Amino acid sequence: MKQSITLLDLHTGKQYQAVLPAVIGRSRNADILLNDPGVSRRHARIEAWDNACKIVDLNSSNGVFVNGQRISSAAIVNTGDILGLGNSRLKITGDKQQAGNGTETVILHSTPLEDKLHVDAQRLQVLYEMAVTISEHQSVDELLEGFFGSISKIIRFDRHFLVTLDDSGACQ
């Protein structure tokens, strides 16, 4: 018998139901399609795992969180757990047959504190590089190249753009 899962989007109230395994992402081919720019095209996969469910991060740009804790590869999830993907918060709902039937969420391969500190140090370095780039007198093209070059060290993106505003706040 195929397992299914039901997820409730805590921001929109929309309910998603999918047969496992199910891919969550921005792609039209995703089983659970989220219209969230912080979600990768193929962000995560939920699959049946030994009478439970497991969520797997598919190398997403912004990571997967279970009950506020970032996972680095996979985690066993249960009814009531909150999944964080981009800006979306999805609560696992339904009976225990649909989600894990355990009483405790088990994080497999959680991100160690050293890795989190390394990421924070990387982000601070990028902010410093951006401040230096902005303070230097450069052409607009050089400024943008330095700015987006620095950001690309911590954020993967396909495209980028910049909106400039004049003193009144209107787009230029």
Side-chain angles (χ1 to χ4, degrees):
M1 175 166 70
K2 290 253 182 191
Q3 279 188 304
S4 65
I5 192 162
T6 303
L7 303 172
L8 173 66
D9 187 317
L10 296 178
H11 295 302
T12 66
K14 184 174 181 179
Q15 204 164 34
Y16 301 93
Q17 186 163 7
V19 174
L20 300 179
V23 172
I24 303 172
R26 257 186 18 246
S27 168
R28 291 183 185 171
N29 296 328
D31 300 299
I32 298 173
L33 175 63
L34 297 178
N35 187 17
D36 178 344
V39 171
S40 298
R41 288 181 179 88
R42 291 178 43 85
H43 199 101
R45 182 179 62 249
I46 299 180
E47 54 195 47
W49 191 76
D50 192 32
N51 295 328
C53 291
K54 176 171 69 170
I55 187 163
V56 179
D57 187 342
L58 300 176
N59 297 317
S60 61
S61 297
N62 295 321
V64 173
F65 295 78
V66 176
N67 298 325
Q69 184 176 1
R70 186 175 182 148
I71 65 169
S72 61
S73 61
I76 305 301
V77 293
N78 294 290
T79 301
D81 286 342
I82 307 291
L83 308 177
L85 296 92
N87 296 314
S88 299
R89 297 295 169 268
L90 306 172
K91 182 175 184 176
I92 299 175
T93 60
D95 62 77
K96 293 181 180 178
Q97 292 292 335
Q98 291 178 305
N101 58 6
T103 59
E104 178 180 348
T105 298
V106 179
I107 303 293
L108 305 176
H109 311 294
S110 67
T111 306
L113 179 59
E114 296 82 21
D115 290 348
K116 291 178 183 176
L117 293 174
H118 175 72
V119 169
D120 288 343
Q122 261 187 321
R123 290 178 178 158
L124 286 172
Q125 178 64 33
V126 166
L127 286 173
Y128 172 76
E129 290 173 8
M130 291 170 56
V132 169
T133 299
I134 291 170
S135 68
E136 295 172 347
H137 297 286
Q138 303 178 46
S139 70
V140 171
D141 289 339
E142 291 171 327
L143 180 67
L144 292 176
E145 185 178 325
F147 182 75
F148 287 116
S150 293
I151 289 180
S152 69
K153 292 178 185 176
I154 58 170
I155 301 173
R156 287 183 271 172
F157 49 83
D158 298 331
R159 297 175 210 101
H160 58 272
F161 64 93
L162 179 70
V163 176
T164 59
L165 306 174
D166 62 20
D167 292 337
S168 69
C171 290
Q172 293 183 330

